[in-house]
Amino acid sequence: METVQELIPLAKELMARRPSRKLVKLYVLGGVLAFFGVVIGLMETVCSPFTAASRLRDEEAAVAELLAARERKVLATQTLREKSKQQEAVLCSRALSNRQHAS
């Protein structure tokens, strides 16, 4: 069945054959499942732009968080380098002052 218009002739044909109750229940179950599939497909189609937008926002937030972490790491290494340079400068000045006093 490609269209819904074929559904009514099919139902008439099935009733003309007088199927058993089990077959009627099976056909009804199949029809209900097909209907739910169509409804779920429509809901997915309608809601997909919203989920895609939220997924995009989540990805952008993750990228921003990674960049911020990388910047913090760079800043931390720069501050450590500056501190080590200051400590070396203090040690060098102390060493020079000790030499001057020692001589």
Side-chain angles (χ1 to χ4, degrees):
M1 285 192 307
E2 295 179 7
T3 62
V4 179
Q5 296 169 349
E6 296 177 5
L7 187 62
I8 294 173
L10 176 68
K12 286 182 180 178
E13 183 181 334
L14 289 176
M15 290 301 155
R17 290 187 185 177
R18 301 280 181 199
S20 66
R21 286 183 180 230
K22 289 183 181 181
L23 280 177
V24 171
K25 287 180 182 179
L26 186 64
Y27 288 139
V28 169
L29 177 65
V32 169
L33 290 177
F35 178 74
F36 283 141
V38 168
V39 169
I40 290 171
L42 287 173
M43 287 181 59
E44 184 177 340
T45 303
V46 169
C47 296
S48 67
F50 302 114
T51 57
S54 67
R55 204 175 300 137
L56 182 62
R57 271 188 265 123
D58 292 343
E59 288 176 5
E60 289 175 352
V63 168
E65 188 175 321
L66 288 174
L67 289 175
R70 192 177 286 169
E71 288 178 11
R72 284 192 300 259
K73 189 174 182 180
V74 168
L75 288 174
T77 56
Q78 286 178 350
T79 55
L80 286 176
R81 286 180 189 165
E82 290 174 1
K83 285 182 182 179
S84 66
K85 285 181 182 178
Q86 289 174 353
Q87 287 176 352
E88 287 178 10
V90 168
L91 290 177
C92 287
S93 66
R94 285 183 183 173
L96 290 175
S97 65
N98 287 339
R99 286 185 190 161
Q100 289 173 356
H101 293 291
S103 58

